[in-house]
PDB file of all heavy atoms in Angstrom:
ATOM      1  N   SER B 120     114.584  94.309 103.595  1.00 38.00           N
ATOM      2  CA  SER B 120     113.496  93.825 102.755  1.00 38.00           C
ATOM      3  C   SER B 120     113.376  92.304 102.764  1.00 38.00           C
ATOM      4  O   SER B 120     112.288  91.769 102.677  1.00 38.00           O
ATOM      5  CB  SER B 120     113.655  94.331 101.335  1.00 38.00           C
ATOM      6  OG  SER B 120     114.884  93.890 100.833  1.00 38.00           O
ATOM      7  N   ASP B 121     114.472  91.613 102.882  1.00 37.00           N
ATOM      8  CA  ASP B 121     114.414  90.149 102.897  1.00 37.00           C
ATOM      9  C   ASP B 121     113.540  89.666 104.039  1.00 37.00           C
ATOM     10  O   ASP B 121     112.752  88.747 103.893  1.00 37.00           O
ATOM     11  CB  ASP B 121     115.817  89.556 103.065  1.00 37.00           C
ATOM     12  CG  ASP B 121     116.629  89.693 101.803  1.00 37.00           C
ATOM     13  OD1 ASP B 121     116.049  90.098 100.779  1.00 37.00           O
ATOM     14  OD2 ASP B 121     117.833  89.407 101.843  1.00 37.00           O
ATOM     15  N   PHE B 122     113.699  90.325 105.147  1.00 38.00           N
ATOM     16  CA  PHE B 122     112.914  89.952 106.319  1.00 38.00           C
ATOM     17  C   PHE B 122     111.426  90.144 106.045  1.00 38.00           C
ATOM     18  O   PHE B 122     110.610  89.288 106.350  1.00 38.00           O
ATOM     19  CB  PHE B 122     113.343  90.778 107.525  1.00 38.00           C
ATOM     20  CG  PHE B 122     112.342  90.785 108.644  1.00 38.00           C
ATOM     21  CD1 PHE B 122     112.133  89.660 109.417  1.00 38.00           C
ATOM     22  CD2 PHE B 122     111.585  91.915 108.907  1.00 38.00           C
ATOM     23  CE1 PHE B 122     111.198  89.660 110.438  1.00 38.00           C
ATOM     24  CE2 PHE B 122     110.649  91.914 109.921  1.00 38.00           C
ATOM     25  CZ  PHE B 122     110.451  90.789 110.689  1.00 38.00           C
ATOM     26  N   LEU B 123     111.084  91.274 105.435  1.00 41.00           N
ATOM     27  CA  LEU B 123     109.679  91.567 105.190  1.00 41.00           C
ATOM     28  C   LEU B 123     109.067  90.575 104.204  1.00 41.00           C
ATOM     29  O   LEU B 123     107.957  90.118 104.378  1.00 41.00           O
ATOM     30  CB  LEU B 123     109.520  92.997 104.678  1.00 41.00           C
ATOM     31  CG  LEU B 123     109.780  94.068 105.735  1.00 41.00           C
ATOM     32  CD1 LEU B 123     109.842  95.432 105.085  1.00 41.00           C
ATOM     33  CD2 LEU B 123     108.717  94.057 106.813  1.00 41.00           C
ATOM     34  N   VAL B 124     109.810  90.256 103.157  1.00 39.00           N
ATOM     35  CA  VAL B 124     109.303  89.315 102.167  1.00 39.00           C
ATOM     36  C   VAL B 124     109.121  87.945 102.802  1.00 39.00           C
ATOM     37  O   VAL B 124     108.104  87.276 102.613  1.00 39.00           O
ATOM     38  CB  VAL B 124     110.251  89.235 100.954  1.00 39.00           C
ATOM     39  CG1 VAL B 124     109.851  88.085 100.046  1.00 39.00           C
ATOM     40  CG2 VAL B 124     110.232  90.551 100.191  1.00 39.00           C
ATOM     41  N   ALA B 125     110.071  87.543 103.598  1.00 37.00           N
ATOM     42  CA  ALA B 125     109.997  86.243 104.251  1.00 37.00           C
ATOM     43  C   ALA B 125     108.763  86.173 105.132  1.00 37.00           C
ATOM     44  O   ALA B 125     108.024  85.192 105.125  1.00 37.00           O
ATOM     45  CB  ALA B 125     111.244  86.014 105.091  1.00 37.00           C
ATOM     46  N   ARG B 126     108.509  87.251 105.830  1.00 43.00           N
ATOM     47  CA  ARG B 126     107.369  87.275 106.727  1.00 43.00           C
ATOM     48  C   ARG B 126     106.066  87.174 105.938  1.00 43.00           C
ATOM     49  O   ARG B 126     105.142  86.494 106.304  1.00 43.00           O
ATOM     50  CB  ARG B 126     107.382  88.561 107.545  1.00 43.00           C
ATOM     51  CG  ARG B 126     106.483  88.481 108.751  1.00 43.00           C
ATOM     52  CD  ARG B 126     106.389  89.814 109.419  1.00 43.00           C
ATOM     53  NE  ARG B 126     106.000  90.815 108.449  1.00 43.00           N
ATOM     54  CZ  ARG B 126     105.799  92.089 108.769  1.00 43.00           C
ATOM     55  NH1 ARG B 126     106.008  92.497 109.976  1.00 43.00           N
ATOM     56  NH2 ARG B 126     105.431  92.949 107.851  1.00 43.00           N
ATOM     57  N   GLU B 127     106.053  87.854 104.793  1.00 46.00           N
ATOM     58  CA  GLU B 127     104.836  87.885 104.005  1.00 46.00           C
ATOM     59  C   GLU B 127     104.450  86.508 103.485  1.00 46.00           C
ATOM     60  O   GLU B 127     103.292  86.171 103.408  1.00 46.00           O
ATOM     61  CB  GLU B 127     105.012  88.865 102.847  1.00 46.00           C
ATOM     62  CG  GLU B 127     103.720  89.159 102.142  1.00 46.00           C
ATOM     63  CD  GLU B 127     103.872  90.299 101.145  1.00 46.00           C
ATOM     64  OE1 GLU B 127     104.976  90.864 101.034  1.00 46.00           O
ATOM     65  OE2 GLU B 127     102.892  90.596 100.491  1.00 46.00           O
ATOM     66  N   PHE B 128     105.417  85.718 103.105  1.00 44.00           N
ATOM     67  CA  PHE B 128     105.091  84.466 102.435  1.00 44.00           C
ATOM     68  C   PHE B 128     105.224  83.203 103.265  1.00 44.00           C
ATOM     69  O   PHE B 128     104.897  82.139 102.823  1.00 44.00           O
ATOM     70  CB  PHE B 128     105.894  84.345 101.144  1.00 44.00           C
ATOM     71  CG  PHE B 128     105.388  85.277 100.084  1.00 44.00           C
ATOM     72  CD1 PHE B 128     106.012  86.484  99.840  1.00 44.00           C
ATOM     73  CD2 PHE B 128     104.241  84.958  99.380  1.00 44.00           C
ATOM     74  CE1 PHE B 128     105.514  87.360  98.889  1.00 44.00           C
ATOM     75  CE2 PHE B 128     103.739  85.828  98.427  1.00 44.00           C
ATOM     76  CZ  PHE B 128     104.379  87.037  98.179  1.00 44.00           C
ATOM     77  N   ARG B 129     105.696  83.303 104.476  1.00 43.00           N
ATOM     78  CA  ARG B 129     105.814  82.075 105.273  1.00 43.00           C
ATOM     79  C   ARG B 129     104.870  82.054 106.463  1.00 43.00           C
ATOM     80  O   ARG B 129     104.759  81.080 107.159  1.00 43.00           O
ATOM     81  CB  ARG B 129     107.260  81.886 105.743  1.00 43.00           C
ATOM     82  CG  ARG B 129     108.117  81.398 104.603  1.00 43.00           C
ATOM     83  CD  ARG B 129     109.567  81.316 104.985  1.00 43.00           C
ATOM     84  NE  ARG B 129     110.381  81.416 103.779  1.00 43.00           N
ATOM     85  CZ  ARG B 129     111.624  81.828 103.766  1.00 43.00           C
ATOM     86  NH1 ARG B 129     112.213  82.206 104.867  1.00 43.00           N
ATOM     87  NH2 ARG B 129     112.279  81.895 102.633  1.00 43.00           N
ATOM     88  N   ASP B 130     104.211  83.136 106.668  1.00 43.00           N
ATOM     89  CA  ASP B 130     103.307  83.243 107.794  1.00 43.00           C
ATOM     90  C   ASP B 130     102.021  82.465 107.494  1.00 43.00           C
ATOM     91  O   ASP B 130     101.601  82.356 106.365  1.00 43.00           O
ATOM     92  CB  ASP B 130     102.986  84.736 107.988  1.00 43.00           C
ATOM     93  CG  ASP B 130     102.352  85.010 109.323  1.00 43.00           C
ATOM     94  OD1 ASP B 130     101.898  84.053 109.967  1.00 43.00           O
ATOM     95  OD2 ASP B 130     102.315  86.186 109.712  1.00 43.00           O
ATOM     96  N   ASP B 131     101.397  81.947 108.516  1.00 45.00           N
ATOM     97  CA  ASP B 131     100.135  81.247 108.337  1.00 45.00           C
ATOM     98  C   ASP B 131      99.020  82.011 109.054  1.00 45.00           C
ATOM     99  O   ASP B 131      98.074  81.445 109.562  1.00 45.00           O
ATOM    100  CB  ASP B 131     100.244  79.821 108.896  1.00 45.00           C
ATOM    101  CG  ASP B 131      99.087  78.950 108.442  1.00 45.00           C
ATOM    102  OD1 ASP B 131      98.660  79.094 107.287  1.00 45.00           O
ATOM    103  OD2 ASP B 131      98.599  78.162 109.249  1.00 45.00           O
ATOM    104  N   SER B 132      99.146  83.318 109.120  1.00 46.00           N
ATOM    105  CA  SER B 132      98.191  84.119 109.875  1.00 46.00           C
ATOM    106  C   SER B 132      96.966  84.441 109.034  1.00 46.00           C
ATOM    107  O   SER B 132      96.870  84.097 107.860  1.00 46.00           O
ATOM    108  CB  SER B 132      98.846  85.414 110.356  1.00 46.00           C
ATOM    109  OG  SER B 132      99.111  86.233 109.240  1.00 46.00           O
ATOM    110  N   LEU B 133      96.049  85.160 109.624  1.00 46.00           N
ATOM    111  CA  LEU B 133      94.768  85.434 108.991  1.00 46.00           C
ATOM    112  C   LEU B 133      94.904  86.180 107.665  1.00 46.00           C
ATOM    113  O   LEU B 133      94.135  85.962 106.741  1.00 46.00           O
ATOM    114  CB  LEU B 133      93.914  86.247 109.964  1.00 46.00           C
ATOM    115  CG  LEU B 133      92.410  86.206 109.723  1.00 46.00           C
ATOM    116  CD1 LEU B 133      91.877  84.800 109.831  1.00 46.00           C
ATOM    117  CD2 LEU B 133      91.715  87.111 110.720  1.00 46.00           C
ATOM    118  N   ASP B 134      95.887  87.055 107.557  1.00 54.00           N
ATOM    119  CA  ASP B 134      96.034  87.818 106.329  1.00 54.00           C
ATOM    120  C   ASP B 134      96.386  86.930 105.143  1.00 54.00           C
ATOM    121  O   ASP B 134      96.243  87.339 103.998  1.00 54.00           O
ATOM    122  CB  ASP B 134      97.069  88.926 106.491  1.00 54.00           C
ATOM    123  CG  ASP B 134      96.374  90.267 106.675  1.00 54.00           C
ATOM    124  OD1 ASP B 134      95.162  90.257 106.929  1.00 54.00           O
ATOM    125  OD2 ASP B 134      97.043  91.302 106.555  1.00 54.00           O
ATOM    126  N   MET B 135      96.871  85.736 105.424  1.00 63.00           N
ATOM    127  CA  MET B 135      97.180  84.806 104.343  1.00 63.00           C
ATOM    128  C   MET B 135      95.917  84.392 103.599  1.00 63.00           C
ATOM    129  O   MET B 135      95.979  83.830 102.522  1.00 63.00           O
ATOM    130  CB  MET B 135      97.887  83.569 104.894  1.00 63.00           C
ATOM    131  CG  MET B 135      99.292  83.830 105.373  1.00 63.00           C
ATOM    132  SD  MET B 135     100.345  84.519 104.071  1.00 63.00           S
ATOM    133  CE  MET B 135     100.301  86.237 104.484  1.00 63.00           C
TER     134      MET B 135
END
Side-chain angles (χ1 to χ4, degrees):
Chain B
S120 59
D121 287 352
F122 162 72
L123 289 170
V124 170
R126 197 187 53 178
E127 191 171 359
F128 287 99
R129 284 175 204 156
D130 195 345
D131 194 38
S132 68
L133 201 61
D134 257 14
M135 290 302 99

